[in-house]
């Protein structure tokens, strides 16, 4: 008997959610110039609005991941998506700097735990050999969802203004949450659609669905593996968050690109970033088949990604043509996402039955980097009278530290 493919519906739900996640995240970056104009915000004030999301997201990542280990992703993900959909719509209701910052903070707090719980669902529904491909599909969808947001936002903004665009994108999450809650089960064996062959395939992984509230916090906090994993993700997020915060502003104010061209050029970093994920999985697989250990293959690919991201970001400052500069920024994003499958699969391998908690800890630390980045850029622009090159130099340097952290990371041994 051939196994049924019910487990792949979990991947389909995850892919759809990743698209919605980045639709809701990225729309503010494209709307930022109009938000600044309507609310009379400075660069630093807009930087705080960007950062408020990441602070809320980072602070609640560990609780969100822990809840996934404790009560299961079904209830946690449903709550997450309904919450963030509400505050996506509420972004369009902002009337001042303070209201915008508060709304974005609550949006981030609500979304926290999303990707750790998706990773948790993969570890309980998918055989180990399929989890890396699922992560690649997840991040490909996330990046491409974000990539095609600017043209969609441009269309909606052109019809009804920037405020209405947030309400439109907020509705998509509610539809997903209802469908997910009624179909998904934390233990795959509770789904009657699986045949006996597929049940045999997923039964070893289904044990991960049991409640694991007894997190070994002392071991986790004292582990060099965990801290190397955290710091490399901090470096990865610091450089990448420019693409979903300041990039449209950079194109319009520094490169003097028209708004329609800005929407098209803004696609490139996330589009190429998405391609980096399956290419990374393919290369790791080739390296392991050629005799390299999984740990060595992950280290090689991750260090290559960090080095490429820093180098291409630096090279973009030497390009007088805005299209050439954007190609370099897009290649930096491709290199950035080259690291993603190795990172999230390392979190799953190290965390084991506590994958939700550990990946939440890693994502929290990474989003502290994501929170620092747009704020630091805002202050650098204000202090240097819009010297955008300095912001790229700093991001490139932070990227290069990520390669160092991977040198000391054991990405396969469980806690």
């Amino acid at each position: 008997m051939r196994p049924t493919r019910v487990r792949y519906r979990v991947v389909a739900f995850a892919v759809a959610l990743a698209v919605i996640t980045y639709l809701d995240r990225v729309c503010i970056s494209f709307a930022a110039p109009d938000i600044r104009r309507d609310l009379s915000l400075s660069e630093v004030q807009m930087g705080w609005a960007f950062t408020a999301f990441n602070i809320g997201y980072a602070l609640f990542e560990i609780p969100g991941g822990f809840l996934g280990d404790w009560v299961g992703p079904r209830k946690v993900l449903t709550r997450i998506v309904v919450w963030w959909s509400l505050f996506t719509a509420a972004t369009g209701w902002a009337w001042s700097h303070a209201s915008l910052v508060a709304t974005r903070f609550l949006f981030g707090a609500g979304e926290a735990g999303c990707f750790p719980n998706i990773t948790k669902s993969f570890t309980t529904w998918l055989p180990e050999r399929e989890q890396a491909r699922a992560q690649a599909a997840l991040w490909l969808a996330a990046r491409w969802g974000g990539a095609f947001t600017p043209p969609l936002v441009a269309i909606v903004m052109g019809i009804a203004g920037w405020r209405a665009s947030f309400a439109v994108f907020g509705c998509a999450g509610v539809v997903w949450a209802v469908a997910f809650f009624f179909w998904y089960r934390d233990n795959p064996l509770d789904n009657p659609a699986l045949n006996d062959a597929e049940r045999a395939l997923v039964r070893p992984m289904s044990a991960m669905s049991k409640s694991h509230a007894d997190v070994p916090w002392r071991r986790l906090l004292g582990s060099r593996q965990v801290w190397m994993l955290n710091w490399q993700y901090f470096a990865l997020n610091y450089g990448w968050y420019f693409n979903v915060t300041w990039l449209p502003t950079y194109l319009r104010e520094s490169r003097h690109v028209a708004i329609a061209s800005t929407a098209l050029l803004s696609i490139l970093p996330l589009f190429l970033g998405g391609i980096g994920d399956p290419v990374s999985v393919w290369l790791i697989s080739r390296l392991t088949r050629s005799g390299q250990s999984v740990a060595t293959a992950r280290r090689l690919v991750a260090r290559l990604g960090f080095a490429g991201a820093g180098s291409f970001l630096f090279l973009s400052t030497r390009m007088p043509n805005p299209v050439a500069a954007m190609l370099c920024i897009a290649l930096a994003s491709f290199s950035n996402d080259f690291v993603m499958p190795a990172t999230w699969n390392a979190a799953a391998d190290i965390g084991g039955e506590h994958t939700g908690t550990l990946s939440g800890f890693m994502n929290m630390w990474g989003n502290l980097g994501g929170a620092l980045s747009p704020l630091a850029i805002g202050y650098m622009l204000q202090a240097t009278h819009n010297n955008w090159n300095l912001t790229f130099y700093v991001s490139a340097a932070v990227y290069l530290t990520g390669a160092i952290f991977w040198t000391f990371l054991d990405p396969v041994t469980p806690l």
Side-chain angles (χ1 to χ4, degrees):
M1 182 184 296
R2 288 189 175 186
T4 47
R5 298 184 176 183
V6 179
R7 64 192 184 281
Y8 295 148
R9 296 180 192 175
V10 174
V11 181
F13 268 108
V15 164
L17 184 58
V19 172
I20 296 169
T21 300
Y22 276 78
L23 283 171
D24 292 347
R25 285 190 193 183
V26 175
C27 55
I28 192 172
S29 67
F30 190 80
D34 298 281
I35 294 173
R36 285 179 57 197
R37 184 192 64 244
D38 289 356
L39 301 184
S40 301
L41 305 181
S42 67
E43 290 93 343
V44 170
Q45 287 177 312
M46 195 66 223
W48 273 107
F50 287 143
T51 292
F53 162 81
N54 293 90
I55 292 174
Y57 190 67
L59 289 177
F60 289 90
E61 268 295 283
I62 292 179
F66 171 76
L67 283 173
D69 286 335
W70 187 17
V71 303
R74 180 171 178 250
K75 292 180 180 178
V76 178
L77 277 174
T78 302
R79 189 275 305 165
I80 285 172
V81 178
V82 171
W83 178 296
W84 100 47
S85 299
L86 172 63
F87 283 98
T88 296
T91 302
W93 308 336
W95 66 90
S96 65
H97 177 240
S99 66
L100 180 64
V101 169
T103 300
R104 299 307 292 178
F105 175 85
L106 292 170
F107 172 40
E111 190 174 315
C114 174
F115 287 105
N117 276 277
I118 290 175
T119 301
K120 176 73 174 179
S121 71
F122 287 169
T123 63
T124 57
W125 271 82
L126 300 177
E128 188 173 349
R129 66 178 182 273
E130 296 178 356
Q131 291 176 24
R133 293 197 297 272
Q135 286 287 351
L138 173 71
W139 290 105
L140 171 67
R143 299 318 195 209
W144 281 12
F148 293 104
T149 295
L152 290 175
V153 177
I155 293 170
V156 176
M157 284 177 58
I159 297 172
W162 66 269
R163 294 181 183 274
S165 66
F166 288 96
V168 170
F169 290 125
C171 292
V174 176
V175 175
W176 184 95
V178 171
F180 178 79
F181 183 79
F182 283 103
W183 181 85
Y184 184 82
R185 294 295 180 269
D186 291 322
N187 188 335
L189 300 182
D190 293 337
N191 190 311
L194 280 71
N195 68 4
D196 290 340
E198 189 170 26
R199 289 175 180 275
L201 196 63
V202 303
R203 185 170 284 109
M205 311 309 299
S206 66
M208 295 284 191
S209 65
K210 296 178 181 178
S211 174
H212 295 291
D214 54 336
V215 177
W217 291 107
R218 181 174 296 181
R219 190 185 311 168
L220 187 148
L221 294 172
S223 169
R224 187 181 77 174
Q225 283 174 272
V226 171
W227 286 107
M228 291 298 101
L229 193 67
N230 288 347
W231 279 113
Q232 64 85 33
Y233 207 51
F234 180 99
L236 203 66
N237 274 262
Y238 181 95
W240 186 82
Y241 258 89
F242 171 81
N243 298 318
V244 292
T245 53
W246 284 107
L247 177 59
T249 304
Y250 162 75
L251 288 172
R252 289 164 66 173
E253 296 185 0
S254 177
R255 295 290 183 168
H256 308 294
V257 176
I259 186 170
S261 299
T262 296
L264 293 175
L265 289 175
S266 296
I267 291 174
L268 285 174
L270 294 173
F271 183 82
L272 284 188
I275 294 174
D277 295 287
V279 173
S280 173
V281 170
W282 172 81
L283 182 56
I284 290 173
S285 178
R286 285 292 300 269
L287 289 170
T288 54
R289 286 202 301 268
S290 67
Q292 300 287 343
S293 68
V294 173
T296 300
R298 287 177 180 172
R299 286 195 195 99
L300 288 172
V301 168
R303 286 184 291 194
L304 178 62
F306 272 114
S311 300
F312 282 119
L313 211 55
F314 177 83
L315 185 60
S316 71
T317 66
R318 297 294 182 264
M319 297 294 171
N321 184 282
V323 176
M326 276 304 304
L327 285 173
C328 288
I329 294 172
L331 288 170
S333 180
F334 172 89
S335 301
N336 179 104
D337 274 35
F338 213 58
V339 185
M340 292 295 283
T343 290
W344 282 90
N345 284 300
D349 286 351
I350 295 171
E353 62 188 18
H354 305 292
T355 292
T357 303
L358 176 57
S359 57
F361 189 21
M362 178 191 76
N363 211 21
M364 179 200 76
W365 212 256
N367 277 278
L368 290 176
L372 177 62
S373 173
L375 186 60
I377 290 172
Y379 277 106
M380 281 187 273
L381 291 174
Q382 186 180 67
T384 61
H385 303 289
N386 294 330
N387 182 354
W388 286 93
N389 283 353
L390 176 63
T391 69
F392 289 115
Y393 298 152
V394 172
S395 295
V398 173
Y399 266 135
L400 295 179
T401 66
I404 299 173
F405 296 129
W406 264 95
T407 301
F408 300 100
L409 172 62
D410 174 0
V412 294
T413 304
L415 283 174

